[in-house]
Amino acid sequence: MRPEDFPDASPTTFLPPHMYVDAWVYDAEQRHVFAKSWQLVADVGQLTAPGDYLADTIGTQPIIIVRDKQLRLRCFANVCRHRGCTLLEGRGNAGRGLVCPYHQWSYSLNGDLVGVPFRGEFEFDLDVAGLGLIELRMAVWERFAFVDLSGSAPPLADYLGEFAAELSSHNIEGMRALNVIDEELEGNWKVHVDNAFCAYHFAMVHPQTLYAAQSRTGLTVELAEFAGCSYIPWKGYEDGTAGYAGLTGRAATGSLNISLFPNVFLGALPSGRLTVLAWTPTSVERTRLRAWSFGHATDEEAAAEPARQRRVLAEDFEVVRRTWQGMRSPLYRRPGPRHYRELRIYNFHRMLVKMLKDGAGAATRQHSG
């Protein structure tokens, strides 16, 4: 692939359909975007004791996040250094260390190789110090762990930009985890992300669930390099005193909807609720969604949250399904004009194409060299 194989992102429209449906684009995204950008992996509020772990994947790369004996969070490639077998699955507590189920090579919670069965029968000396687990770059913002497989992405603070600071008064670390959804959906991942980064569809798709609470004027959209934010005033919160106590600035009077490149959405409401969505492609046509809901909620409100979250997501799923159906039609030759409320989509497309072009250019230079 060459940089010119990828179309420039247009400020007035959207990416052409082939960028969603072609397998070679998907492969390039795996190499040049997901492997080189911060990926949201976990709510670390669920990992509190030494040995607590979460095993997951970033693209095709299995990873583990674990708390060591000093309660530090560590992230490792979830592969044994002997034959590559994955060490752990799901979530749990690894006790004093991580043990491979294949040949029972064992590792401490800080990744050191500490046990090799029948070690004396190897025909050569083992470089035990060099056979520890491969540690990956990780950073935590509030209660969320992000992992950079490449180790070379800009600092996470650069990704979050100035918008994340506006959420500080929400006291996210003190929120209750109200609901978690983890499922696979139909459609290319970008169709789902485009929808999440769009404020144009609220009146049409969410007339009762979201739009009914929103003021009809005052929406603003702002962009940073890796992030975008739409602010929407909410009815009844004009003076900043009707919502969750302690909220300040715009967080007290409306919703802050933050898009984080390439695949994360943060939606903070003045009522003191937070929705976090992350999409990971599993193929050109399938996408994994993880959706977290948090809040400073009463028991009654917490009990009602799963149904509320599911209703809002179901509204999105239906239009995304139908968009994906039309996206694959040869009759949909080019996208239409972009609306102001879709400005965050352009920001997303701009950075996506830049990373694809940069990656293709680097690969071309390496090959020619």
Side-chain angles (χ1 to χ4, degrees):
M1 288 176 293
R2 302 162 301 171
E4 55 267 30
D5 292 333
F6 300 101
D8 291 329
S10 168
T12 60
T13 184
F14 308 95
L15 292 177
H18 80 268
M19 290 290 290
Y20 294 79
V21 303
D22 285 358
W24 66 269
V25 176
Y26 169 82
D27 292 339
E29 290 168 345
Q30 291 296 309
R31 292 194 301 273
H32 303 312
V33 178
F34 283 88
K36 298 178 182 179
S37 58
W38 288 102
Q39 293 295 304
L40 173 59
V41 176
D43 167 19
V44 299
Q46 308 300 310
L47 307 174
T48 58
D52 281 357
Y53 73 86
L54 173 72
D56 214 313
T57 58
I58 298 176
T60 58
Q61 171 62 56
I63 60 101
I64 307 168
I65 293 179
V66 63
R67 282 206 185 269
D68 66 16
K69 290 182 180 180
Q70 289 74 42
L71 293 180
R72 295 172 300 186
L73 283 167
R74 315 287 289 267
C75 183
F76 302 104
N78 185 12
V79 289
C80 180
R81 295 298 302 279
H82 179 223
R83 296 299 304 280
C85 183
T86 54
L87 303 171
L88 297 168
E89 294 182 336
R91 194 175 77 197
N93 188 282
R96 292 182 297 176
L98 291 66
V99 181
C100 177
Y102 197 175
H103 300 101
Q104 294 193 0
W105 281 34
S106 57
Y107 304 86
S108 68
L109 295 179
N110 63 6
D112 293 335
L113 178 62
V114 294
V116 177
F118 306 111
R119 178 175 172 181
E121 296 180 8
F122 280 88
E123 300 173 76
F124 38 79
D125 292 335
L126 294 182
D127 178 18
V128 174
L131 288 171
L133 297 179
I134 298 172
E135 189 158 10
L136 303 172
R137 184 185 183 201
M138 184 181 67
V140 177
W141 171 73
E142 294 284 355
R143 63 192 295 160
F144 305 113
F146 291 79
V147 175
D148 164 30
L149 292 177
S150 70
S152 59
L156 181 61
D158 291 354
Y159 266 68
L160 296 169
E162 61 188 35
F163 308 124
E166 291 197 79
L167 303 185
S168 61
S169 63
H170 272 278
N171 184 22
I172 294 173
E173 290 189 72
M175 286 180 168
R176 297 174 61 176
L178 305 179
N179 194 45
V180 180
I181 294 173
D182 189 337
E183 59 188 50
E184 193 169 283
L185 306 172
E186 180 182 0
N188 182 269
W189 70 282
K190 294 187 292 298
V191 181
H192 292 277
V193 171
D194 287 351
N195 178 73
F197 293 0
C198 165
Y200 187 27
H201 72 282
F202 286 137
M204 306 78 165
V205 178
H206 307 293
Q208 301 301 321
T209 50
L210 294 177
Y211 188 66
Q214 296 173 358
S215 297
R216 299 299 178 258
T217 60
L219 177 143
T220 61
V221 181
E222 301 154 276
L223 304 179
E225 185 175 14
F226 297 98
C229 179
S230 70
Y231 164 73
I232 306 176
W234 277 46
K235 297 175 182 177
Y237 295 90
E238 291 85 351
D239 62 359
T241 61
Y244 170 65
L247 290 180
T248 59
R250 297 193 300 178
T253 60
S255 61
L256 291 165
N257 308 291
I258 297 173
S259 55
L260 182 61
F261 183 83
N263 59 337
V264 173
F265 167 84
L266 305 167
L269 308 183
S271 58
R273 248 191 351 254
L274 175 72
T275 295
V276 180
L277 308 174
W279 296 266
T280 304
T282 57
S283 72
V284 176
E285 300 187 348
R286 304 287 293 179
T287 301
R288 178 192 180 194
L289 167 69
R290 284 166 296 158
W292 294 267
S293 182
F294 303 93
H296 304 284
T298 65
D299 290 343
E300 182 179 0
E301 291 169 335
E305 179 60 17
R308 187 205 69 84
Q309 185 184 39
R310 177 60 69 177
R311 181 183 175 188
V312 174
L313 289 176
E315 293 168 345
D316 284 320
F317 292 167
E318 176 61 11
V319 294
V320 170
R321 180 189 67 80
R322 296 173 68 163
T323 301
W324 175 238
Q325 182 181 28
M327 188 78 70
R328 291 172 291 170
S329 169
L331 299 178
Y332 181 68
R333 297 182 178 89
R334 62 170 61 92
R338 179 191 57 77
H339 191 276
Y340 168 69
R341 293 170 181 250
E342 297 171 300
L343 187 57
R344 286 179 298 150
I345 300 177
Y346 164 63
N347 205 39
F348 162 49
H349 290 178
R350 177 191 57 79
M351 181 54 65
L352 178 76
V353 171
K354 180 181 184 302
M355 291 192 72
L356 291 172
K357 285 179 176 290
D358 288 349
T364 299
R365 290 190 296 273
Q366 183 179 24
H367 179 73
S368 62

